Amino acid sequence: YNGGQVSLAISRKVICRGCAGSNSARCNQCKERCANELETVQMRMGPMVFNQQQEVASKERCKMVSHTIVVNVERGMAAGQTVTFKALGEQRPKRLPGDVVVKLKQEDHAKFKRRGDDLHMNVDITLKQGLVGFQMSFMHLDGRQVFMKIGGMTAPGEVKVMPGEGMPKYGDPTTVGDLYMKCNYVMPKKLSTQQIDWLVANFP
């Protein structure tokens, strides 16, 4: 909803440059085996000679290093979207390093559920509030206090809509979805004799 930054620690294998065949103190710290290299060899089949690539053990030496990357989560991004860090993957001899791809995972929220660009929440109301209307407020995801006023009757399970109080749209945060509020009745656990008599006398 708000966007932000998340720091992630990653480990990757890097090539120790200039350490192939070296026993220097610096190179002796490189104890990881590097990925295989691709080597082109000539193959003969009858009168035909053709080139073929095959994997061979690399003479390079590698080590593991740790990095901290900062993931920028833009407003409106959803679970399953990815953020790519170019060339921060494992280094392989004679090849370009791969990418680090971070896939976003959305945690459940205690109050709101997201569906596309819309938000959904449950609201508990009393029987009296359902019959005559009610006012309420709640804190939104950006810390704002949102007030709402519902007049008239509200049916059990009825959904009220607050336009423009949903999620910002990814790529266009000025466009915002809606907030859908499902009203659930909280029935009284007990009624007094006077209350029962009044209901019988005044309700059809």
Side-chain angles (χ1 to χ4, degrees), residues 19-31:
C19 286
S22 172
N23 289 317
S24 68
R26 178 180 69 87
C27 293
N28 285 337
Q29 298 177 5
C30 303
K31 299 179 180 180

Side-chain angles (χ1 to χ4, degrees), residues 4-155:
Q5 294 183 329
V6 179
S7 296
L8 294 178
I10 63 169
S11 295
R12 65 173 184 146
K13 189 180 291 185
V14 298
I15 299 171
C16 299
R17 303 297 177 184
C19 286
S22 172
N23 289 317
S24 68
R26 178 180 69 87
C27 293
N28 285 337
Q29 298 177 5
C30 303
K31 299 179 180 180
E32 295 290 329
R33 182 177 180 273
C34 293
N36 290 340
E37 297 182 22
L38 289 177
E39 185 179 77
T40 301
V41 296
Q42 287 190 335
M43 304 289 293
R44 179 179 293 275
M45 185 176 291
M48 304 285 292
V49 176
F50 58 92
N51 294 329
Q52 178 177 311
Q53 283 191 328
Q54 64 182 21
E55 287 193 354
V56 296
S58 175
K59 296 179 181 179
E60 298 287 352
R61 299 169 72 171
C62 289
K63 65 178 180 179
M64 298 298 296
V65 296
S66 297
H67 293 279
T68 297
I69 59 176
V70 178
V71 182
N72 288 312
V73 181
E74 298 181 44
R75 296 190 67 204
M77 294 187 81
Q81 285 188 260
T82 58
V83 180
T84 301
F85 294 83
K86 293 289 186 181
L88 279 186
E90 177 181 319
Q91 293 183 356
R92 308 183 70 181
K94 299 181 182 179
R95 299 190 196 182
L96 293 174
D99 302 332
V100 172
V101 180
V102 179
K103 187 175 183 179
L104 301 184
K105 182 178 179 181
Q106 181 176 287
E107 294 182 348
D108 291 334
H109 192 271
K111 181 184 299 179
F112 301 102
K113 291 189 180 297
R114 180 180 184 177
R115 296 176 189 168
D117 293 330
D118 298 322
L119 289 174
H120 294 252
M121 64 180 289
N122 289 316
V123 176
D124 291 335
I125 61 174
T126 65
L127 178 59
K128 177 182 175 180
Q129 289 173 322
L131 294 174
V132 302
F134 60 94
Q135 298 181 48
M136 64 166 290
S137 66
F138 61 90
M139 184 174 291
H140 215 315
L141 293 168
D142 56 0
R144 288 181 297 118
Q145 200 71 18
V146 179
F147 295 88
M148 61 177 292
K149 182 177 181 179
I150 303 295
M153 295 181 60
T154 300

